[in-house]
């Protein structure tokens, strides 16, 4: 039912603002205490990789290993009676997120950005003795089986997946980005006793599971079963293209559209609260497992418009010895974070959130009749036992029917809430489970029997919760013999020691942090639900998972808001040009664009739109799919990313459900942090930055003379101005010197019902997985027919309804003519080529950034590794242009680390001198440094660091 908005309570607002200011002050003060102090200039690049398994305690309890993610190191602590004593630090790969012991003298570290695993020897001077190369963005590692194998999760892509050294590895090869029905959750399996001499080690097998990118792993108590969890697994929701919705707002007046029978028109309301007609939009549907139909929120059956299934497979059990599949568990959650098994019962616990993206609209919900405000993603732990999947909502005390300003809203609710549950640990007797609440700065404590039976009451259970200083608890390890737990806190890059019996913090260990203070101070505004929402559950990270996408679409229009105006320059909207373009590009020219036919309107009821990444936005112009954050509370500007970002302030109240919008100080801190975060290097493009033949053909068309859109009119005086045309780059501008990678920052009329901003193209590869589409009037692509099971419900374009880029290129605006559009001869081949190029799109960083290799004394390994070192050196010499890196740079700064004579040494490659410079000022030739590794125990690990970061990373010891 609709909610009633009453006047703001000044006292609550004042208190809330004071809390926000206090948080900013506390984080900045903490940043000032961090060592070493951050140097000036771009010597640190933020990626915001999420921890998965950030700590590991030795079997005898004497040593604790912790990944220091921003520092790119493994930090080693001796466990003492007084807490933790630093005992060593090992440079590993970039953005380490997980670590596991192998025996008592070796650790394996998963490096998320380097696509590698560092094998660290803890005998003598700790050092990396081997670097294993795996798929893109690896996240977790476990050892299981007899004898033990290593299991590592990664995305179903990455340059090493189809490297020649893996040609005979089962499961290796082409990631098949354009093939329907491909499992896209990979697990690389290694035999630690037989890594072979190949350049990146040779996996036994690359296993692929029918889900999108995986994250967490867990092992059964007997070490014979490995559990694999998808990361953003979805919730059986998908989008319906606006062209498949009948005209008007009659819900049950069906129609036939290009061979597909649709059940009715738009959901409504037909106008916003001020009476202005809405644009035509698509809608979101969810598979109803009871009725076996795809249904919208009105219960209408859209199965006729669907061309794929979403089985929603979330967790997979495999035999650790035979690698055979044992079981599959569906409907565990939408976004799955971590897993742990009960050491006594063997039951599996999965921390997750369940998205509420079927609920429409933000805002008070008066005119539209519904709102998602404050109820975005439910924090849960799902129990899997005896073949049953049992989700447990951790915040069932929240009354979501009451908004923050409604009479009867309970302001104490957030005191009992847990947001963003992640790492977990279970006591040895199996009776107590601890879970880190990343967005609440506390540890949830549950009786496992109560959790399994869903009999806990958060209002009473919360008395057992443990508050953790520093913020962002991301990892947890129990040390019951010492009555302790160890907790990593990502916000202050530290480890906290907590006494189990008293639940009090008794010690802490701050780790070196090269992050600038602006990153440290701004990070809480992404995650911390205590300052984001009145009920303590919702934060920006509820959708923007670790600052990225959640791979879903949401209908977050606000029917109670007003139409605003766009200040952004536009394509195909000037006078007669707009009218001609409507006739050429629209399937129904009578359809009023933006609801009014005024191309400058931003109607607040925008329909379903997929969650966009918050990373890499600094040079991309106005934000949101339409660019509608170009105007707002903090100003109007067509291109200023800071103003646009700060204009998201209203979402803290209208969407997250806080008492009022975020204040300017908070938004400035948030923007200062988030606009520094980079997207990762492209995992599809070759490491030497070259293009495949297909990608090169796509590149040639993209930048070629032939216009790909519009209609090329001969030079007929003033007529030419009315119908412009562009090659792909004319709108989707690639200009590294300006930091543009697919967007000019302009808006464009593309024949759909709203004017959209031209989006960047750097993460197209991350949207692969929805296949199958009916024919639509807007495009010439034929009906694909039903293509069976797929791993994603949302694909490309603003609403996620384009299943492939090549299919999107068949829309009217790109139609072949004699002198424009895709070629008349074999246009589908060119469409596929352009799609291949866009999957490998240029970015702020060269593909080689983060890549590694370790040179050892083993003759076979040296022979295999030598060419890769040659490649890294060549890329370090190769010119590269990136505005965010300072303009003219090289593709990477090459650094090397070794232990020589028991002493750790770091080097950076001086391209001008063609020599490696030690942090002590000494110089080594390339050959001399390679020869260091000819001595056993003096392995040399090379890493391609981001340009500007090399000297700092070389000095990390």
């Amino acid at each position: 039912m609709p909610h009633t908005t009453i006047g703001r309570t000044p006292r609550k607002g004042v208190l809330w603002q004071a809390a926000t200011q206090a948080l900013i002050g506390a984080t900045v003060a903490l940043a000032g205490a961090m060592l070493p102090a951050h140097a000036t200039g771009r010597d640190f690049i933020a990626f915001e990789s999420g921890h998965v398994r950030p700590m590991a305690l030795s079997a005898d309890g004497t040593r604790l290993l912790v990944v220091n993610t921003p520092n790119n190191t493994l930090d080693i602590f001796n466990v003492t009676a007084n807490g933790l004593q630093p005992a060593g630090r090992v440079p590993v790969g970039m953005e380490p997120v997980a670590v596991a012991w192998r025996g008592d003298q070796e650790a394996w570290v998963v490096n998320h950005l380097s696509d590698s695993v560092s094998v660290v020897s803890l005998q003598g001077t700790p050092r990396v003795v081997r670097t294993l190369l795996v798929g893109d963005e690896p996240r977790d590692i476990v050892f299981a089986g007899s004898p033990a194998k290593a299991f590592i999760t990664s995305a179903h892509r990455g340059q090493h997946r189809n490297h020649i050294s893996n040609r005979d590895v089962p499961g290796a090869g082409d990631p098949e980005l354009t093939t329907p029905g491909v499992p896209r959750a990979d697990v690389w399996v290694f035999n630690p006793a037989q890594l072979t001499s190949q350049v990146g080690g040779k996996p036994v097998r690359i296993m692929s599971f029918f889900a999108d990118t995986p994250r967490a792993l867990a092992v059964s108590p007997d070490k014979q079963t490995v559990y694999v969890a998808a990361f953003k697994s979805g919730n059986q929701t998908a989008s319906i293209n606006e062209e498949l919705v009948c005209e008007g707002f009659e819900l049950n007046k069906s129609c036939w559209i290009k061979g597909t029978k649709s059940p009715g028109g738009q959901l409504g309301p037909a106008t916003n609260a001020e009476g202005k007609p809405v644009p035509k939009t698509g809608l979101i549907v969810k598979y109803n497992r009871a009725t076996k139909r795809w249904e919208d929120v009105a219960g209408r059956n859209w199965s006729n418009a669907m061309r794929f299934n979403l089985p929603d497979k979330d967790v997979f059990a495999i035999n650790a010895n035979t690698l055979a599949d044992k079981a599959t568990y569906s409907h565990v959650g939408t976004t799955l974070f971590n897993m742990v098994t009960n050491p006594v019962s063997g039951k599996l616990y999965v921390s997750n959130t369940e998205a509420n993206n079927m609920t429409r609209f933000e805002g008070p919900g008066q005119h539209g009749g519904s709102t998602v405000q404050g109820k975005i993603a439910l924090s849960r732990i799902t129990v899997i036992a005896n073949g049953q999947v049992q989700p447990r909502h951790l915040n069932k005390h929240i009354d979501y029917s009451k908004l923050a300003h409604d009479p009867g809203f309970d302001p104490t609710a957030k005191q009992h809430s847990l947001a963003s549950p992640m790492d977990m640990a279970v006591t040895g007797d199996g009776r107590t489970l601890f879970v880190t609440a990343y967005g609440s700065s506390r540890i949830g404590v549950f009786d496992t029997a109560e959790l399994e039976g869903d009999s806990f009451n958060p209002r009473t259970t919360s008395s057992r919760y443990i508050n953790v200083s520093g913020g962002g608890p991301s990892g947890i390890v129990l040390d019951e013999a010492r009555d302790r737990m160890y907790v990593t806190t990502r916000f202050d890059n530290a480890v906290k020691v907590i006494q189990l019996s008293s639940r009090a913090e008794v010690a802490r260990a701050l780790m070196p942090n090269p992050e600038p203070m602006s990153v440290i101070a701004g990070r809480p505004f992404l995650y911390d639900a205590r300052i984001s929402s009145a009920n303590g559950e919702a934060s920006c990270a509820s959708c923007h998972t670790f600052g990225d996408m959640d791979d879903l679409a949401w209908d977050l229009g606000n029917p109670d808001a007003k139409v605003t105006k766009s200040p952004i320059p536009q394509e195909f909207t000037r006078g007669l040009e707009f009218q001609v373009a409507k006739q050429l590009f629209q399937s129904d020219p009578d359809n009023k664009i933006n609801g009014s036919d005024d191309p400058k309107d931003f109607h607040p009821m925008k329909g379903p739109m997929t969650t966009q990444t918050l990373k890499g936005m600094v040079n991309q112009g106005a934000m949101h799919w339409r660019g509608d954050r170009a105007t707002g509370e903090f100003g109007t500007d067509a291109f200023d990313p800071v103003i646009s970002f700060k204009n998201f302030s209203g979402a803290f109240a209208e969407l997250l459900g806080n008492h009022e919008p975020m204040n300017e100080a908070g938004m400035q801190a948030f923007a200062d942090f988030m606009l520094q975060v980079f997207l990762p290097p492209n995992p599809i493009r070759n490491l030497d930055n070259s293009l495949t033949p297909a990608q090169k053909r796509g590149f040639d068309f993209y930048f070629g003379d032939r216009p790909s859109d519009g209609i090329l009119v001969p030079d007929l005086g003033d007529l030419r101005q009315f119908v412009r045309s562009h090659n792909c780059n004319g709108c989707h501008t690639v200009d590294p010197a300006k930091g543009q990678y697919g967007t000019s920052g302009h808006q464009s009329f593309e024949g759909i019902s709203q004017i959209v901003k031209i989006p960047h193209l750097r993460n197209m590869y991350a949207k692969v997985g929805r296949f199958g589409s009916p024919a639509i009037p807007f495009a010439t692509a034929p009906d694909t027919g039903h293509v069976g099971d797929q791993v994603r419900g949302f694909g490309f374009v603003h609403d996620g309804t384009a299943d492939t880029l090549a299919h999107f290129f068949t829309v009217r605006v790109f139609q072949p003519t004699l002198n424009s559009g895709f070629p008349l001869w074999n246009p589908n081949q060119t469409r596929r080529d352009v799609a291949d190029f866009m999957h490998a799109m240029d970015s702020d960083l060269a593909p080689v950034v983060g890549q590694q290799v370790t040179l050892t004394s083993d003759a076979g390994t040296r022979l295999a590794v030598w060419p890769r070192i040659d490649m890294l050196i060549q890329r370090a010499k190769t010119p590269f242009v990136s505005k965010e890196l300072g303009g003219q740079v090289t593709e990477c700064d090459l650094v090397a680390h070794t232990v020589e004579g028991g002493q750790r040494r770091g080097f950076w490659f001086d391209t001008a001198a063609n020599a490696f410079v030690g942090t002590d000022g000494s110089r080594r030739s390339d050959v001399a440094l390679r020869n260091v590794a000819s001595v056993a125990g003096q392995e040399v690990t090379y890493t391609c660091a981001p340009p500007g970061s090399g000297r700092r990373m070389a000095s990390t010891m």
Side-chain angles (χ1 to χ4, degrees):
M1 61 180 294
H3 293 275
T4 301
T5 301
I6 62 174
R8 293 177 180 169
T9 304
R11 179 172 175 74
K12 289 182 179 177
V14 170
L15 290 175
W16 177 78
Q17 289 190 14
T20 302
Q21 295 289 356
L23 178 60
I24 297 173
T27 51
V28 170
L30 177 63
M34 304 298 281
L35 295 174
H38 180 67
T40 60
R42 178 68 86 176
D43 70 345
F44 177 83
I45 302 296
F47 294 101
E48 204 58 20
S49 303
H51 280 171
V52 183
R53 190 183 302 269
M55 287 187 296
L57 185 66
S58 61
D60 63 5
T62 62
R63 287 179 292 178
L64 182 71
L65 306 179
V66 186
V67 296
N68 187 339
T69 303
N71 205 44
N72 305 317
T73 57
L74 176 69
D75 286 20
I76 306 166
F77 295 91
N78 288 332
V79 179
T80 70
N82 296 322
L84 299 174
Q85 179 182 23
R89 181 172 297 116
V90 182
V92 289
M94 291 193 64
E95 300 286 295
V97 295
V99 59
W101 284 90
R102 177 178 175 254
D104 59 1
Q105 294 296 337
E106 186 175 284
W108 289 34
V109 181
V110 176
N111 306 305
H112 186 64
L113 192 92
S114 289
D115 301 347
S116 68
V117 176
S118 299
V119 180
V120 178
S121 171
L122 297 168
Q123 292 181 314
T125 304
R127 67 198 188 280
V128 174
V129 297
R130 190 74 189 269
T131 296
L132 307 180
L133 305 179
V134 294
D136 185 41
E137 297 185 340
R139 287 186 166 90
D140 201 6
I141 180 170
V142 296
F143 290 95
S146 303
K149 302 180 187 68
F151 297 81
I152 300 148
T153 55
S154 88
H156 186 77
R157 56 181 184 255
Q159 291 89 349
H160 203 64
R161 199 180 193 287
N162 54 0
H163 191 270
I164 190 171
S165 64
N166 289 326
R167 62 185 179 277
D168 59 345
V169 173
D174 186 354
E176 301 178 294
L177 297 179
T178 58
T179 302
V182 173
R184 300 191 181 277
D186 284 0
V187 174
W188 290 56
V189 184
F190 288 89
N191 179 350
Q194 296 180 351
L195 295 178
T196 77
S197 61
Q198 293 188 16
V199 61
K202 186 173 183 178
V204 174
R205 184 182 303 178
I206 302 174
M207 306 183 71
S208 297
F209 299 90
F210 202 81
D212 206 353
T213 304
R215 177 176 153 96
L217 295 165
V219 180
S220 61
D222 64 4
K223 308 296 184 185
Q224 303 305 298
T225 300
V226 172
Y227 298 98
V228 182
F231 182 17
K232 305 168 190 176
S233 71
N235 57 357
Q236 292 188 299
T237 58
S239 48
I240 298 289
N241 190 280
E242 65 186 55
E243 295 260 301
L244 294 173
V245 180
C246 302
E247 294 298 327
F249 295 87
E250 294 187 55
L251 291 183
N252 298 310
K253 185 178 181 180
S254 63
C255 65
W256 285 89
I257 301 173
K258 257 192 147 176
T260 295
K261 186 178 181 180
S262 296
Q266 289 183 250
L267 290 166
T271 71
N272 68 339
E274 60 182 348
K276 295 188 176 181
V278 303
K280 187 175 183 182
T281 67
L283 47 83
I284 300 175
V285 295
K286 184 179 178 71
Y287 185 71
N288 186 325
R289 298 193 294 273
T291 62
K292 301 187 184 306
R293 308 189 320 182
W294 289 95
E295 297 176 354
D296 62 20
V297 293
R300 296 180 297 177
N301 182 8
W302 287 89
S303 299
N304 288 334
M306 298 300 293
R307 298 294 184 268
F308 57 88
N309 303 322
L310 288 177
D312 193 28
K313 297 178 180 180
D314 290 352
V315 175
F316 308 85
I318 56 177
N319 185 305
N321 295 308
T322 66
L323 304 184
D325 294 342
K326 294 180 65 175
T328 300
Y329 304 97
S330 299
H331 322 310
V332 176
T334 305
T335 302
L336 280 55
F337 290 106
N338 285 66
M339 297 190 293
V340 70
T341 54
N342 188 305
V344 176
S345 68
K347 293 178 180 179
L348 181 68
Y349 309 102
V350 186
S351 60
N352 66 90
T353 56
E354 181 71 357
N356 187 30
N357 62 320
M358 283 299 291
T359 300
R360 302 173 70 210
F361 305 138
E362 65 176 18
Q366 291 179 325
H367 187 70
S370 66
T371 181
V372 73
Q373 186 181 128
K375 188 181 180 181
I376 299 172
L378 307 185
S379 294
R380 312 193 312 180
I381 292 177
T382 297
V383 183
I384 300 177
N386 302 317
Q388 300 297 309
V389 175
Q390 301 171 315
R392 300 297 183 239
H393 182 202
L394 302 181
N395 299 321
K396 54 188 178 180
H397 63 288
I398 296 175
D399 181 358
Y400 295 105
S401 69
K402 298 288 193 300
L403 303 186
H405 291 295
D406 285 349
F409 174 79
D410 180 8
T412 69
K414 70 164 55 180
Q415 299 173 14
H416 314 290
S417 297
L418 298 174
S420 301
M422 293 194 184
D423 201 13
M424 295 171 289
V426 181
T427 53
D429 61 9
R431 296 176 60 181
T432 305
L433 179 144
F434 300 89
V435 57
T436 62
Y438 195 70
S440 303
S441 294
R442 58 174 49 155
I443 306 296
V445 186
F446 294 90
D447 180 292
T448 53
E450 292 181 354
L451 181 68
E452 293 159 10
D454 201 20
S455 60
F456 66 94
N457 180 351
R459 292 188 179 277
T460 55
T461 303
S462 62
S463 63
R464 302 197 296 260
Y465 296 171
I466 303 169
N467 292 322
V468 182
S469 67
S474 59
I476 185 170
V477 168
L478 296 183
D479 184 0
E480 293 181 84
R482 292 178 175 82
D483 188 32
R484 293 177 182 170
M485 71 166 66
Y486 308 107
V487 179
T488 47
T489 47
R490 182 65 186 89
F491 292 179
D492 64 349
N493 204 46
V495 183
K496 308 299 162 58
V497 182
I498 296 173
Q499 187 178 54
L500 289 172
S501 55
S502 67
R503 295 182 178 140
E505 181 179 312
V506 294
R508 68 179 64 183
L510 291 175
M511 296 183 291
N513 188 358
E515 294 175 323
M517 289 188 291
S518 54
V519 168
I520 297 170
R523 181 174 283 122
F525 294 95
L526 174 62
Y527 300 105
D528 197 329
R530 299 171 304 169
I531 63 172
S532 297
S533 61
N535 62 27
E537 185 176 53
S539 71
C540 295
S542 297
C543 296
H544 296 285
T545 312
F546 296 113
D548 206 356
M549 306 177 291
D550 61 2
D551 298 343
L552 301 172
W554 299 73
D555 188 347
L556 297 180
N558 185 348
D560 294 287
K562 295 181 179 181
V563 172
T564 58
K565 294 294 183 181
S566 170
I568 305 171
Q570 297 180 333
E571 307 292 342
F572 305 123
T573 63
R574 298 184 305 176
L576 179 60
E577 175 190 48
F578 182 47
Q579 299 306 317
V580 174
K582 279 173 62 70
Q583 296 296 320
L584 291 174
F585 302 160
Q586 280 188 278
S587 59
D588 179 9
D590 293 331
N591 179 19
K592 290 188 175 183
I593 304 305
N594 295 336
S596 61
D597 253 4
D598 183 345
K600 288 294 186 180
D601 276 353
F602 284 137
H603 198 287
M605 295 174 64
K606 57 192 176 182
M609 295 193 175
T610 58
T611 304
Q612 294 178 292
T613 183
L614 296 181
K615 299 182 178 183
M617 296 195 304
V618 67
N619 296 304
Q620 310 312 306
M623 297 171 193
H624 264 181
W625 277 105
R626 301 180 301 172
D628 49 56
R629 294 301 180 180
T631 182
E633 180 178 355
F634 295 106
T636 297
D637 193 286
F639 299 107
D640 190 324
V642 176
I643 288 177
S644 192
F645 194 95
K646 288 165 64 175
N647 283 338
F648 280 100
S649 62
F652 283 81
E654 303 294 343
L655 178 57
L656 302 183
N658 220 329
H659 294 289
E660 57 184 50
M662 179 63 70
N663 60 26
E664 185 167 13
M667 289 308 301
Q668 187 66 57
F670 192 3
D672 289 344
F673 153 60
M674 203 67 237
L675 293 178
Q676 294 184 64
V677 179
F678 275 53
L679 281 165
N682 189 291
I684 308 303
R685 197 155 175 148
N686 291 332
L687 290 179
D688 65 2
N689 217 6
S690 65
L691 300 174
T692 66
Q695 292 166 0
K696 181 59 168 62
R697 292 193 301 269
F699 172 96
D700 290 342
F701 182 80
Y702 190 100
F703 292 98
D705 294 333
R706 182 183 175 91
S708 58
D709 64 9
I711 181 169
L712 184 59
V713 178
D715 189 3
L716 299 176
D718 291 341
L719 179 60
R720 180 68 176 271
Q721 69 177 306
F722 294 127
V723 188
R724 290 173 289 176
S725 57
H726 310 272
N727 65 0
C728 299
N729 193 59
C731 290
H732 290 280
T733 306
V734 178
D735 187 345
K738 295 181 179 179
Q740 295 177 328
Y741 300 96
T743 180
S744 62
H746 292 189
Q747 290 179 300
S748 182
F749 172 53
E750 299 295 319
I752 60 175
S753 63
Q754 297 181 81
I755 305 295
V756 293
K757 185 198 153 200
I758 300 164
H760 75 88
L761 302 173
R762 290 167 294 174
N763 60 350
M764 296 298 97
Y765 64 85
K767 299 186 178 187
V768 168
R770 167 175 166 151
F771 291 89
S773 175
I776 58 174
F778 180 53
T780 61
D783 193 318
T784 63
H786 202 280
V787 296
D789 291 351
Q790 305 302 323
V791 299
R792 289 171 60 109
F794 303 94
F796 300 95
V797 304
H798 68 287
D799 58 6
T801 58
D803 64 337
T804 67
L805 290 170
H807 282 172
F808 172 67
F809 296 151
T810 69
V811 299
R812 287 172 176 256
V813 72
F814 303 128
Q815 284 309 296
T817 68
L818 287 174
N819 58 8
S820 66
F822 279 80
L824 285 170
W825 183 82
N826 200 8
N828 285 337
Q829 182 60 57
T830 302
R831 291 173 178 129
R832 289 191 292 269
D833 291 342
V834 174
D836 283 348
F837 168 63
M838 287 170 60
H839 288 143
M841 177 56 64
D842 301 68
S843 189
D844 295 287
L845 298 168
V848 78
V849 169
Q851 294 295 310
Q852 295 189 286
V853 73
T854 296
L855 183 63
T856 73
S857 60
D858 176 76
T861 304
R862 290 175 67 82
L863 184 64
V865 166
W866 210 270
R868 186 170 171 92
I869 299 173
D870 291 341
M871 184 271 291
L872 297 181
I873 291 175
Q874 183 59 44
R875 303 332 297 168
K877 295 179 177 180
T878 301
F880 187 73
V881 177
S882 171
K883 178 181 178 181
E884 283 307 292
L885 297 176
Q888 291 284 345
V889 292
T890 58
E891 290 192 7
C892 73
D893 285 358
L894 185 59
V895 301
H897 288 97
T898 187
V899 170
E900 190 174 16
Q903 298 297 311
R904 190 178 310 285
R905 300 188 185 279
F907 299 86
W908 59 274
F909 185 64
D910 184 341
T911 57
N914 198 35
F916 285 88
V917 180
T919 53
D920 60 358
S922 63
R923 289 179 177 265
R924 303 283 181 92
S925 69
D926 171 26
V927 172
L929 186 57
R930 297 193 201 205
N931 286 339
V932 170
S934 63
V935 178
Q938 295 188 168
E939 300 84 358
V940 180
T941 297
Y942 297 81
T943 304
C944 256
S949 297
R951 296 192 190 197
R952 176 186 58 79
M953 288 178 57
S955 65
T956 301
M957 302 290 190

